[in-house]
Amino acid sequence: MLHFKRCQLLKQIAQKCLSRIHVKTDKHPQLFLSRTFALAELRKSWHSIYSLVGDKNIILMGPPGAGKTTVGRIIGQKLGCCVIDVDDDILEKTWNMSVSEKLQDVGNEQFLEEEGKAVLNFSASGSVISLTGSNPMHDASMWHLKKNGIIVYLDVPLLDIVSRLKLMKTDRIVGQNSGTSMKDLLKFRRQYYKKWYDTRVFCESGASPEEVANKVLSAVKRYQDVASETFISTRHIWPKDCEQKIPAKFFSEAVIEGLASDGGLFVPEKEFPKLNCGEWKSLVGATYIERAQILLEKCIHPADIPAAKLGEMIETAYGENFTCSKIAPVRHLSGNQFILELFHGPTGSFKDLSLQLMPHLFAHCIPPSCNFMILVATSGDTGSAVLNGFSRLNKNDKQRIAVATFFPEDGVSDFQKAQIIGSQNENGWAVGVKSDFDFCQTSIKRIFQDSDFTGFLAVEYGTVLSSANSINWGRLLPQVVYHASAYLDLVSQGFISFGSPVDVCIPTGNFGNILAAVYAKTMGVPIRKFICASNQNHVLTDFIKTGHYDIRERKLARTFSPAIDILKSSNLERHLHLMANKDGQLMRRLFNQLEEEHHFQIEKILVEKLQQDFVADWCSEGECLAAIHSTYNTSGYILDPHTAIAKVVADRMQDKTCPVIVSSTAHYSKFAPAIMQALKIREINQTSSSQVYLLSSYNALPPPHEALLERTKQQEKMEHQSTS
């Protein structure tokens, strides 16, 4: 039961944290309470400027050999409009000589300048324009073109371009005689293509010009239709014909609001986008950043975040702050088991994979006149990851966004606690709560739904509440990428061929990580079974086996794997909503019953549907430590307790007829006492930092996490707020 007075204490602390942060205050609540209207106006303005109507142009951009001219002609025929090839119809007519002659005559730099001037003197409307490969290297001319058209980037795999150019005349490519290889030249050009495009067409290997042309038209249609990709609450009740439909939310609104006003979670109104087999195969050789850009562009409408801006955010999020250039590498452990290492981010847990990106998405989506207070409940790793992620925003954004993270004072490991406290910064604070994670999470949901308190914040501080837990769609979505990337890595490394199935085994508490894998399958990743691994708090395992979610007689047990010490799994609601064909009325009934009676039972048909894809089991504390010990002895690899739980369950539940990818959700350094106990290292009364340094001397795999080692030098002296 949630005690009202204790919830009030959390609200007072949130208010106190906010008052200590130098936010830009503008006490006009109507600016904040009507943000939906403001965003709608912003979209309307965006639509009027950028949509392809009447006199707008479709502008095809890409490297030499991308097929811009051929595709442009096909589109022109389909639309019955003028087709303009910049090389043939503008440059050569302006210069009265061929492009190759001009390039030979004036050299690379002067050619770019004169090419740009020729384009600046040109204007067209209602046409299809095929650019040269070097047009994007001239800023002024690109701004000129962008004002009256949609720039479509034909993104063709690099090896395909190199192969095509070998069969073509290539004496008119700027820079080709500079001694740089064609491959390096094309790589260099990519930065310019990424800078200018409005929408990308991913041209998989072997795609015909006709197929690419159809993709261009689909991309332009999507770009035009700013209201096509909306979000609803899991508790949304579809109106009857006579009733007025409740307006759906856009991506930006779902990210800003975090939790729906009816207590449900935001989900896409339509199905997840899908990639075809050819598109997936073209991503096999791509980097993590490239994969993230392709996948997330398909999930986020450019009206919410322009594609080029999204690409910048992704490159910033997955850069030098990760200790491994592969971001989320897959390591072969033994037999058919592979470890997906999700701990190479700055705070050493899988939460970094989303929380290094989510703050940038959030900062972009919020209206410029609003301040926001992010409230976060953490069962261990989320707290430090949220504080770290939001601390990396620019100065202006940090003045508009404050963060308060609430953690169970005695329900996280010593290192996790020190890390959360040590991650506090100018716009982020840690608050210890003398209770468990479920209390923290439920309290935050109650605070969100307290109109008196939210109204007070709006009036007094000019501030709106939001969340960065996985209840927030902007936090959950980036997690889809690493599940897809793991599968592609197995293909790239030759362990499987594309299309072969895999199982995934994930230590699960709040159901977000495993739900992201479900969404990856929805996009086309051939995942066969989702193996849910629980610790002694195995409410999810019991539910998957029986369809009965029952916490009436359960008391939360504190374990070696605190990140999954959870009894109320928020994201389960999203999956049940998906399984139940978006039956919002059922979700309201089930989760209201869980709140009031602490249990619910789903129908047999839904249980059977759940069990088609999911299997589950749990692992005791002794089995967890034994798995850490045996794995180290046989392979020299140290599992953290959460990963050890997943391995035990994978060993027990997986039939070994296909590979299983085990999600390693944290670096073992964060749980040094448990690791030392498992490896039978003599217990010494040491600080958490000295324990981490001791383990780092073992020369085990994975290597020590340098960012965590650095953190230990300063964490244990910092103070934090707490409440009982």
Side-chain angles (χ1 to χ4, degrees), residues 528-678:
R528 184 184 65 164
K529 288 286 185 182
F530 304 95
I531 304 172
C532 173
S534 303
N535 60 16
Q536 289 180 197
N537 299 294
H538 45 85
V539 61
L540 273 173
T541 288
D542 293 348
F543 172 70
I544 290 168
K545 289 182 175 182
T546 66
H548 190 200
Y549 201 102
D550 189 0
I551 57 174
R552 287 173 296 183
E553 303 298 324
R554 291 183 190 266
K555 185 176 180 181
L556 190 75
R558 290 175 180 166
T559 71
F560 294 131
S561 47
I564 55 175
D565 286 347
I566 296 171
L567 295 180
K568 289 185 178 179
S569 299
S570 290
N571 277 292
L572 178 63
E573 182 171 344
R574 281 187 168 117
H575 187 61
L576 291 181
H577 181 261
L578 182 66
M579 284 202 317
N581 298 317
K582 303 181 180 179
D583 187 342
Q585 192 157 4
L586 175 63
M587 294 306 105
R588 285 192 183 198
R589 180 172 64 79
L590 292 179
F591 287 92
N592 284 339
Q593 184 182 347
L594 181 64
E595 192 68 25
E596 294 165 8
E597 301 176 23
H598 307 297
H599 79 110
F600 65 75
Q601 173 76 50
I602 60 173
E603 294 179 358
K604 183 179 179 182
I605 189 170
L606 285 181
V607 178
E608 291 171 351
K609 195 171 182 180
L610 177 67
Q611 292 174 350
Q612 284 175 5
D613 292 323
F614 278 78
V615 295
D617 210 343
W618 66 280
C619 167
S620 70
E621 295 288 83
E623 290 170 320
C624 171
L625 296 183
I628 294 170
H629 184 266
S630 63
T631 302
Y632 177 69
N633 281 346
T634 56
S635 64
Y637 193 96
I638 300 180
L639 305 172
D640 94 287
H642 304 80
T643 313
I645 283 168
K647 181 172 178 5
V648 170
V649 173
D651 287 342
R652 193 182 297 156
M653 303 298 292
Q654 212 260 348
D655 62 13
K656 297 181 173 55
T657 58
C658 73
V660 57
I661 301 173
V662 177
S663 287
S664 183
T665 54
H667 195 276
Y668 63 83
S669 297
K670 304 183 80 165
F671 308 95
I675 303 303
M676 293 171 75
Q677 184 176 338

Side-chain angles (χ1 to χ4, degrees), residues 55-75:
D55 61 349
K56 295 290 182 179
N57 300 309
I58 296 178
I59 302 166
L60 302 181
M61 176 185 72
K68 301 181 293 294
T69 300
T70 305
V71 171
R73 287 173 183 153
I74 295 171
I75 294 171

Side-chain angles (χ1 to χ4, degrees), residues 181-193:
S181 71
M182 185 58 68
K183 188 175 180 180
D184 289 340
L185 181 65
L186 294 170
K187 280 184 178 179
F188 173 76
R189 291 262 188 106
R190 279 195 149 182
Q191 63 183 303
Y192 296 100
Y193 304 141

